[in-house]
Amino acid sequence: MPERMLVVGDPDRALRAASQLEGAAEIGRFREYVTLVGHHRGTRVGVSSHGVGAAGAAVCFEELFLAGVQRVIRAGTCGGMQDDVTDGHLVISTGAVRNEGYTPQIVPDGYPALASVEVVMALRRAAEGAENIHEGVTLTTAAFFIHDILGSPVPMWQKTGVKAVEMECAALFVLAGLAGRQAGAILAVDGSPLAETNENMDYYDPHRDVVRDAVGRMIDIAWDALVDDR
């Protein structure tokens, strides 16, 4: 197993990312978990898909760390949570709010979910000169569709300055911290859960060109950051 891996939610995105590698080859496929390896800029790397949600993704992350992986970068999609974080933009996560339900079962409430400084800096360098890049704390949650019984915590977290919401980063950051490995994330914005027209997620469509283009830029940046040793 390469010591440096991208992780993505969608198996098709894993195939898209691997298509940019030299000598790409699939080495594993089971349920939502697809793993391919190859070379980027002369460094052996790989990509694994982890599905949707922290608990299932954590299986992927744990097994990568057990296999000796030293650096993991998540390249995923997210919802923008600030007015200036909109469709097609990218967000570099510096840390994650642990609202996903998985990490409280493995660490105390006060344990932080932080991206590694080395990875944040590598992502920042790889994204230098690109437009519509944001950096900051992201929210990891477990509920995609919101019910009116308890409502959504998203408006509250928006007030704290959280940049975006997604479903797996907190698990990755916590597990990397426990394993003493490097981890980070770059995310492509595919909508906003706070949009007035989005109360019931009726308008949500991640298959638009603006999202596809952002995902492509995200993957390019993630690969370059993955092999950055500065």
Side-chain angles (χ1 to χ4, degrees), residues 139-165:
L139 168 66
T140 302
T141 189
F144 187 84
F145 293 100
I146 302 301
H147 293 262
D148 60 7
I149 300 169
L150 295 178
S152 170
V154 170
M156 175 188 71
W157 288 113
Q158 181 197 39
K159 295 177 182 177
T160 70
V162 165
K163 298 292 185 181
V165 57

Side-chain angles (χ1 to χ4, degrees), residues 206-227:
H207 305 295
R208 293 165 292 148
D209 288 342
V210 66
V211 178
R212 292 190 187 95
D213 292 345
V215 167
R217 292 190 297 125
M218 171 187 70
I219 291 171
D220 290 342
I221 292 168
W223 278 133
D224 287 348
L226 193 66
V227 301

